[in-house]
Amino acid sequence: METADDFLLELKPRLDTLVERYERPAFIADDPISVPHGFDDPRDQEVIGFYAALLAWGRRSVILKKAAELAERMDYRPYAFVRDFNAERAGARLAGFTHRTFQPQDVLALTGALSHVIHAHGSLEGAFAAHLPNDAPDIGPAIQGFSDTVLQHAQLPRLRKHVARPSTKSACKRLAMYCRWMVRPGPVDLGLWTAIRPAQLVLPLDVHTGRQARKLGLLLRTQDDWRAAQALTARCRALDPGDPCRYDFALFGLGAYDDQPSK
């Protein structure tokens, strides 16, 4: 009788092949991660990367267009724009910016809150790390604490639907993806942060990733929520304890290109 360990050992080489196929520099151009890659200063990469991750739903071409528009509105100096936040000036620069349900009042309140975060913690990394205990198995507490802090400073209830928290049972896909960008080393991810270990990352889970994970037998839970994201990560951690999120590239390939792990 095949055990769970046998099943994972059998699946691992096929998933590793997919990771090798997609975790390459060529992946960057059509992905939202291309937005922070377009900046040289790590502080700019960290800040614009957060906005790009938060805007990352819908058609990719539209996401990239809106992220580029936002960078232009910030005079291509996103870190300075946020750090030196001035409500009147920022309001004028951000007026009219929309992406789906993300409205000008949302981006303005978010930018003001991020300014508070940067002044209090020195960086967005510092704000995430401040809420992560040394023995935390994953980044759940960091996402929860960061989001709570942002929402507290923003004082805009409607922003809650854009800034996810595990406590609401959200899978926190976009924030998990942002942390992946910041923590994992290249060639695709940026590897800017050192306060969080790759082993603590949680796979970004959405309907497409969940569908592929269930087809492979990596996920049994039917809801795409935080518990499902943790469960999927646990299976991937069994495949690679130090870097479970590398398998995000395999699940992406299966979903985006209808690839097959046996090819």
Side-chain angles (χ1 to χ4, degrees), residues 56-165:
W57 85 100
R59 291 176 55 189
R60 285 186 163 209
S61 60
V62 176
I63 295 168
L64 297 180
K65 178 181 178 181
K66 298 307 292 188
E69 177 189 338
L70 187 59
E72 181 180 10
R73 287 171 178 265
M74 294 179 172
D75 299 318
Y76 299 103
R77 300 177 64 225
Y79 172 75
F81 185 88
V82 173
R83 180 196 61 195
D84 303 330
F85 175 79
N86 174 279
E88 183 176 353
R89 175 177 176 271
R93 295 294 294 169
L94 300 174
F97 180 82
T98 62
H99 175 58
R100 298 172 73 95
T101 61
F102 198 66
Q103 298 296 309
Q105 64 264 41
D106 300 323
V107 68
L108 183 62
L110 175 64
T111 302
L114 292 181
S115 183
H116 281 287
V117 165
I118 286 174
H119 283 286
H121 297 280
S123 65
L124 301 190
E125 177 186 15
F128 275 91
H131 300 283
L132 188 65
N134 291 332
D135 58 349
D138 64 44
I139 56 172
I143 291 177
Q144 182 71 43
F146 176 86
S147 295
D148 284 343
T149 300
V150 167
L151 292 172
Q152 177 185 356
H153 286 298
Q155 292 294 301
L156 184 67
R158 58 171 283 121
L159 197 60
R160 293 172 185 166
K161 63 183 177 182
H162 299 295
V163 182
R165 290 144 292 149

Side-chain angles (χ1 to χ4, degrees), residues 248-262:
D248 187 30
F249 289 95
L251 296 174
F252 167 84
L254 286 168
Y257 299 110
D258 195 26
D259 212 333
Q260 298 299 321
S262 59

Side-chain angles (χ1 to χ4, degrees), residues 1-12:
M1 181 177 180
E2 185 181 57
T3 66
D5 289 341
D6 292 334
F7 161 74
L8 289 174
L9 286 173
E10 180 182 344
L11 190 61
K12 179 175 169 57

